Amino acid sequence: MIVVASSNGRIGINAATEILRQGGTAVDAVEAGIRLVEANPEDHSVGYNGYPNILGEVELDASMMNGRTLESGAVGALKGYVHAITLARQVMERLPHVLLVGDGASRFAAEMGHVPQPEMLQPETRTVWANCLRANMSDSDIEAIGERTDLARWVELATDPERTKGTVNFIAQDKNGNICTGVSTSGWAWKYPGRLGDSPIIGAGNYADNRYGAAACTGMGEMAIRASTAHSLVFYLKMGLSLAEASERAMADLRDLGGRYISVMNLVAIDKEGNHAGYSSAEDRSYIYQTPDMPECEELPRTVVSIPPRWGKTGLQRI
Ligand code: ASP
């Protein structure tokens, strides 16, 4: 039994581990751990008070995968509700679908009895958003941003791959050897409205298969979508590679991507024996894990696989 998480999962990993300790399921453990991160206003990359899109609206992405059955549920660009991970689980358990986005996701949240949160941003976070835009836009531009027809240009201006992203990953394996992965995020700050990252895309940001292991990603979601990173890593395990070899191969696939936009990527993974690993293309990144016999989680450095960053060519000043 084990819970592995990105380091911002610290606030929830005890609750997740306690569920396993009491004999609960990996699915329950993952949901409980992530809900605490989603409710934390200090974490601007997940749930309530997460950084908004370029219009100043918080849009959440989340997914869950059950490694026993490969059943999956995901929501994308969810507005007005905090607990995207619970909604992702409900998509998995209550619908014949895998992914709901936008208005349909909000509608389903209401139907499932989620409490609406019309103001997802605390005032200071709204100020951070406005100040970032203000570096390049006038106040009247910002006020009228909803009417603009040139958002693409401004998104390129505002997005900084180093500063404005983050996600929570949880992977749990319960006493029956069942594995579950969960991922939840507010995505890239100042993203184009409707943009989905890797977090709600099964196989990109999240994949679990009891027979081999599981993986989950944080970082530049577009890269994980293009390389199918979480699925690739599990596929490499299936091909007989060790957890370290499989993780290195998945990172190498990301490193070998072409194109103009390449930034930081991170992953956590376990194999079916419950061995764990954390990888990053950046220095000084860590992940956490906890087993039921541990009173607290342990934080470990991620192994670095270098991916040289590249970022567009617009000549505009990035914030
Ligand atoms: N992967 C997330 C996304 O692309 C953001 C992140 O983890 O930094 O939306």
Side-chain angles (χ1 to χ4, degrees):
M1 284 188 278
I2 188 164
V3 181
V4 179
S6 50
S7 51
N8 60 341
R10 183 175 283 276
I11 197 168
I13 198 167
N14 260 317
T17 309
E18 182 58 22
I19 286 174
L20 298 187
R21 208 177 271 128
Q22 302 295 329
T25 66
V27 171
D28 284 344
V30 163
E31 184 188 359
I34 291 183
R35 280 180 68 92
L36 290 169
V37 185
E38 289 176 335
N40 176 16
E42 306 299 318
D43 191 324
H44 297 301
S45 66
V46 182
Y48 176 69
N49 209 27
Y51 284 140
N53 66 17
I54 193 157
L55 300 179
E57 303 162 338
V58 179
E59 290 184 329
L60 303 181
D61 297 342
S63 66
M64 180 179 272
M65 185 161 188
N66 180 340
R68 185 171 66 79
T69 57
L70 274 57
E71 288 170 301
S72 311
V75 292
L78 169 70
K79 285 196 236 175
Y81 294 90
V82 174
H83 291 300
I85 194 65
T86 296
L87 198 60
R89 178 178 181 173
Q90 287 165 328
V91 171
M92 176 171 85
E93 294 180 344
R94 305 286 296 270
L95 294 176
H97 306 313
V98 167
L99 174 59
L100 290 185
V101 300
D103 290 346
S106 301
R107 184 187 185 109
F108 183 57
E111 211 170 301
M112 292 293 105
H114 288 234
V115 180
Q117 175 54 266
E119 192 37 85
M120 289 286 288
L121 281 182
Q122 293 191 339
E124 317 83 75
T125 311
R126 185 164 288 288
T127 305
V128 174
W129 164 78
N131 284 345
C132 279
L133 298 191
R134 203 165 282 132
N136 290 287
M137 275 186 181
S138 67
D139 282 352
S140 55
D141 275 343
I142 295 173
E143 258 159 52
I145 192 162
E147 277 91 66
R148 296 194 78 94
T149 53
D150 63 348
L151 278 187
R153 170 169 177 267
W154 295 106
V155 166
E156 178 126 359
L157 177 72
T159 301
D160 181 336
E162 292 302 325
R163 280 196 46 206
T164 55
K165 57 187 191 302
T167 294
V168 66
N169 295 159
F170 265 75
I171 304 177
Q173 186 179 41
D174 63 29
K175 67 174 196 293
N176 296 318
N178 291 325
I179 301 175
C180 176
T181 43
V183 178
S184 183
T185 188
S186 48
W188 276 33
W190 341 139
K191 62 192 172 186
Y192 200 96
R195 174 264 186 189
L196 302 183
D198 57 327
S199 307
I201 308 297
I202 300 301
N206 179 349
Y207 202 78
D209 185 331
N210 277 5
R211 296 171 298 174
Y212 314 112
C217 301
T218 62
M220 185 179 176
E222 284 75 358
M223 293 170 65
I225 293 173
R226 291 165 63 204
S228 302
T229 299
H231 179 266
S232 293
L233 193 153
V234 174
F235 179 76
Y236 290 137
L237 291 172
K238 180 176 181 175
M239 292 293 103
L241 270 60
S242 69
L243 183 63
E245 289 165 342
S247 305
E248 269 154 34
R249 284 282 288 273
M251 290 296 288
D253 290 345
L254 291 162
R255 184 198 58 214
D256 294 346
L257 289 171
R260 287 181 300 144
Y261 295 98
I262 297 293
S263 184
V264 172
M265 277 303 301
N266 319 284
L267 57 84
V268 290
I270 67 169
D271 63 18
K272 67 176 190 301
E273 275 82 38
N275 297 308
H276 50 92
Y279 279 71
S280 177
S281 63
E283 303 284 338
D284 301 325
R285 299 287 167 99
S286 59
Y287 73 104
I288 54 178
Y289 81 98
Q290 191 170 355
T291 53
D293 55 326
M294 294 165 63
E296 295 296 330
C297 66
E298 187 177 347
E299 184 160 6
L300 293 174
R302 293 183 190 241
T303 305
V304 178
V305 172
S306 159
I307 301 178
R310 305 192 282 283
W311 200 255
K313 248 195 187 347
T314 60
L316 292 171
Q317 179 209 337
R318 275 199 280 127
I319 299 162

